[in-house]
Amino acid sequence: QAVVTQEPSLTVSPGGTVTLTCGSSTGAVTSGHYPYWFQQKPGQAPTTLIYDTTNKHSWTPARFSGSLLGGKVALTLSGAQPEDEAKYYCILFYSGARSWVFGGGTKLTVL
Amino acid sequence: EVLLVESGGGLVQPGGSLRLSCAASGFTFSSYWMGWVRQAPGKGLEWVANIKEDGSEKNYVDSVKGRFTISRDNAKSSLYLQMNRLRVEDMAVYFCLGGPHADYWGQGTLVTVSS
């Protein structure tokens, strides 16, 4: 099974910008992996922020954006707010195995 | 309002079985893939299984193949996960999710596997 890697932790200052990335052990991440990003706060169910690399849901704050970056998929937060402190997970689809694999998650601290 | 409500979790001995249910409302359940994701205590998310709109395709993570079965009843807007031969490592909160783009998540149901 493929391994999906994320930064274990990142810190951003309030109002600052941070980029979280998600890579694959099988090679470059592409739109064909249908990348998603999820946010999870302690004690809560996850919420879906980004789907298919770049698309936002209606509830996704405009300060979040998704992209492909250097063979990985990225989630950029521009203008971090205290309420953005959470764990962020990406997931990738592997068509050959017809399976989805989560990354280990990035704990984002706004400090 | 969209709701996904899981039920069926509980305490089971290793080797035992449980059937999880997820009752959906507020959206056209029969139009979308649905799935299960789990989270072991203090750990990250793990995709478990998903099922196509009409039930014709089902996919599983390797660790549950042959033990878990995902199914759905579109007439009842319900998703199920039959879990057999449970192992200690299956202990987790199980979330159901679905919608056009994994829009909707339930609050989860806890499965405890312990003797």
Side-chain angles (χ1 to χ4, degrees):
Chain A
Q1 176 173 292
V3 176
V4 177
T5 56
Q6 298 183 243
E7 298 86 1
S9 63
L10 290 170
T11 299
V12 62
S13 300
T17 296
V18 64
T19 297
L20 290 66
T21 68
C22 173
S24 172
S25 63
T26 62
V29 177
T30 71
S31 58
H33 288 96
Y34 303 101
Y36 281 68
W37 288 96
F38 305 94
Q39 179 190 67
Q40 187 179 34
K41 296 182 179 180
Q44 296 183 18
T47 59
T48 308
L49 290 177
I50 301 284
Y51 63 93
D52 294 349
T53 310
T54 61
N55 296 291
K56 301 179 190 181
H57 284 295
S58 58
W59 53 82
T60 305
R63 58 185 179 274
F64 288 96
S65 62
S67 65
L68 291 175
L69 185 68
K72 297 183 178 182
V73 62
L75 177 70
T76 299
L77 171 58
S78 303
Q81 301 297 309
E83 61 265 30
D84 299 328
E85 188 161 294
K87 196 143 187 182
Y88 293 83
Y89 294 92
C90 67
I91 193 172
L92 302 178
F93 178 66
Y94 292 87
S95 56
R98 303 297 293 172
S99 68
W100 293 84
V101 181
F102 276 99
T106 296
K107 179 175 171 55
L108 182 66
T109 300
V110 180
L111 188 61
Chain B
E1 181 193 10
V2 171
L3 280 178
L4 291 176
V5 180
E6 301 95 337
S7 60
L11 174 63
V12 62
Q13 292 186 338
S17 298
L18 277 178
R19 188 193 195 211
L20 305 184
S21 299
C22 173
S25 59
F27 69 104
T28 310
F29 178 84
S30 59
S31 295
Y32 305 111
W33 283 77
M34 296 293 296
W36 290 96
V37 167
R38 66 186 178 183
Q39 187 168 36
K43 301 297 185 182
L45 301 174
E46 180 180 35
W47 173 79
V48 175
N50 63 359
I51 184 169
K52 198 173 179 179
E53 298 93 327
D54 61 359
S56 61
E57 181 177 344
K58 304 174 185 182
N59 301 298
Y60 302 90
V61 67
D62 285 348
S63 60
V64 309
K65 285 179 181 176
R67 300 188 298 123
F68 290 12
T69 302
I70 190 172
S71 62
R72 65 192 296 162
D73 184 335
N74 287 341
K76 295 182 178 178
S77 295
S78 291
L79 177 71
Y80 306 101
L81 186 68
Q82 177 66 43
M83 305 187 296
N84 297 331
R85 290 184 281 142
L86 280 160
R87 304 169 180 168
V88 171
E89 55 264 35
D90 295 319
M91 185 162 60
V93 174
Y94 285 72
F95 297 99
C96 74
L97 78 156
H101 301 288
D103 303 42
Y104 315 125
W105 289 74
Q107 286 304 302
T109 187
L110 176 63
V111 171
T112 303
V113 184
S114 174
S115 54

